Structures are given as structure tokens and as C-alpha cells.
């Protein structure tokens, strides 16, 4: 084949050259568009993944916070339960002690009655022994009488039901008479002493 059979670009008419140039540009643009279109979905997917990671990170933080709060609540509940249980054990005899105090009062009143004959004295002796047994049982269980007569008035231990004029300055603010004994159970007041206070 000769040179004439394969014309060069300059031998092609002007229109054909322009068409070829446009086709070449279109091919280049097509490659660019394909690359841009391929890049766009990758960017969108990356953004979606970043958003998912951020959401999961936040969810993880929220769950961790809830877990820590739950742990703190459980520990607080356990502490409260232990404290309540310790108090129940510590003050287990409180109710029984309160119920027995009225019997102790009645026995003490019975002992104030004069015993004239032998039978009365024997009865009084039996009451004394019963009272001693009750007082000892109370003491063994941590219930003791509140010292009041002649003591300085203490509103946490004494209940003033009456006041009388003081005979001297030293007597002011002190208990001069006990109307009903008071009792403490360990560190709690079971019943305050009912007293007369000098003013």
C-alpha cells in the first residue's frame, strides 16, 4: 500500500479533524466523568460510615454511663440494706423492752404499798424478786435506767412535766424529783424520764 492510501491528519478535511478532536476530548471527559462518578459514591459511603461510627460511639458512651449509674445504685442499695440489717440486729430487743417497761413500773408501784402482815411481806418479797429478775434481763439486753434525780436537766433524756422554784443557785436547771423512770437502749432513748425541774 502506498502513502496515498493512508492519509495523514493534515490531508483530512477540516471537518473530519474537528470531529476527531471532539471525539478525543469526549473520550477524555468520559474518563474524567467516570472517575468523578466513581469517587462520588465512595465519598458518600465514607460519610455514612463516619456518621455510623459517631452514632455507635455516642451509643457506647450512653450505655457505659447507664452501666456506671446502675452499679452505683446497686452499691448504694447494698449499703442501705447492710445498714438497715445492722440496725435491726443492734436494736432487736427495743420493742420487747418498751413493752416490758410498763410491767416494771407496775411492780415498782406494788412495792410502795406497805406490807403489815406476814402474808403481805411474803408477797412483797416475791414482787421484789420478780422486779430484780426483770431489771437484770433488761440490763443484760442493753436496756438501762436513765439517771435523773439530782442530774442537770437534759431534754434528750428527760421530759419536764413540772417546774418548781429552786432552793439555791446550784439547784437551778437540775432535776429535783423523778415521776417516772426513763430508760435507754444502747444509744437510743426508749422512754425519757418524766421529771420535775427546779427553775
Amino acid at each position: 500500500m502506498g502513502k496515498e492510501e493512508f492519509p495523514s491528519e493534515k490531508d483530512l478535511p477540516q471537518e473530519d479533524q474537528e470531529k476527531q478532536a471532539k471525539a478525543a476530548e469526549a473520550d477524555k471527559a468520559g474518563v474524567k466523568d467516570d472517575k468523578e462518578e466513581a469517587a462520588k459514591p465512595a465519598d458518600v459511603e465514607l460519610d455514612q460510615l463516619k456518621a455510623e461510627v459517631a452514632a455507635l460511639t455516642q451509643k457506647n458512651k450512653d450505655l457505659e454511663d447507664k452501666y456506671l449509674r446502675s452499679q452505683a445504685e446497686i452499691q448504694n442499695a447494698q449499703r442501705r440494706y447492710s445498714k438497715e440489717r445492722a440496725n435491726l440486729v443492734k436494736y432487736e430487743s427495743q420493742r420487747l423492752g418498751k413493752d416490758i417497761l410498763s410491767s416494771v413500773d407496775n411492780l415498782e408501784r406494788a412495792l410502795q404499798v406497805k406490807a403489815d402482815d406476814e402474808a403481805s411481806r411474803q408477797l412483797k418479797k416475791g414482787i421484789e424478786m420478780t422486779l430484780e429478775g426483770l431489771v437484770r434481763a433488761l440490763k443484760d439486753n442493753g436496756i438501762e435506767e436513765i439517771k435523773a434525780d439530782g442530774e442537770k436537766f437534759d431534754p434528750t433524756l428527760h421530759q419536764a412535766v413540772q417546774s418548781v422554784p429552786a432552793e439555791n443557785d446550784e439547784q437551778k436547771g437540775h432535776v429535783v424529783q423523778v415521776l417516772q423512770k426513763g430508760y435507754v437502749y444502747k444509744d437510743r432513748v426508749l422512754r425519757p424520764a418524766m421529771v420535775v425541774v427546779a427553775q
Side-chain angles (χ1 to χ4, degrees):
M1 283 195 194
K3 197 173 181 181
E4 292 84 22
E5 291 180 28
F6 296 103
S8 66
E9 282 185 20
K10 53 185 173 184
D11 295 336
L12 289 174
Q14 184 71 25
E15 281 179 24
D16 288 343
Q17 286 179 6
E18 286 175 11
K19 281 182 186 177
Q20 272 188 343
K22 283 183 183 177
E25 283 177 29
D27 283 346
K28 286 181 185 174
V31 170
K32 272 188 182 176
D33 287 346
D34 287 346
K35 284 182 183 174
E36 284 176 14
E37 282 177 25
K40 279 184 184 177
D43 287 346
V44 170
E45 192 176 332
L46 183 64
D47 290 344
Q48 286 175 344
L49 289 173
K50 283 181 180 176
E52 263 185 68
V53 167
L56 289 172
T57 303
Q58 185 59 44
K59 188 175 181 180
N60 186 33
K61 282 182 184 175
D62 293 343
L63 289 172
E64 187 177 3
D65 184 54
K66 285 180 184 177
Y67 170 76
L68 291 173
R69 286 175 189 271
S70 298
Q71 286 296 103
E73 283 179 30
I74 288 168
Q75 286 175 355
N76 288 339
Q78 286 174 338
R79 259 187 251 125
R80 253 192 328 271
Y81 173 74
S82 296
K83 190 175 181 181
E84 286 170 9
R85 186 177 166 90
N87 279 341
L88 282 174
V89 169
K90 183 177 181 182
Y91 300 112
E92 64 185 340
S93 302
Q94 179 175 341
R95 189 170 170 192
L96 178 63
K98 267 188 176 179
D99 292 343
I100 290 176
L101 291 181
S102 58
S103 299
V104 171
D105 292 339
N106 290 334
L107 291 172
E108 285 175 345
R109 282 190 210 99
L111 289 175
Q112 290 172 357
V113 176
K114 286 186 179 178
D116 296 332
D117 59 353
E118 185 61 30
S120 300
R121 282 193 285 275
Q122 290 296 323
L123 183 61
K124 193 171 183 177
K125 182 71 177 166
I127 293 171
E128 280 176 1
M129 289 170 63
T130 305
L131 179 61
E132 284 172 13
L134 273 176
V135 169
R136 189 170 46 253
L138 289 173
K139 205 169 198 173
D140 290 346
N141 285 283
I143 299 171
E144 295 185 13
E145 182 184 335
I146 295 171
K147 292 180 182 177
D149 200 14
E151 299 287 320
K152 186 165 176 58
F153 177 73
D154 181 352
T156 60
L157 300 173
H158 309 130
Q159 181 181 351
V161 292
Q162 188 180 348
S163 63
V164 294
E167 294 175 5
N168 53 47
D169 288 342
E170 288 179 12
Q171 200 180 42
K172 278 187 180 179
H174 285 71
V175 175
V176 291
Q177 185 183 354
V178 179
L179 302 176
Q180 185 183 49
K181 289 180 180 178
Y183 292 88
V184 289
Y185 176 54
K186 296 182 181 176
D187 55 352
R188 286 186 180 177
V189 175
L190 274 184
R191 181 178 79 185
M194 294 174 68
V195 297
V196 178
V197 182
Q199 297 289 340

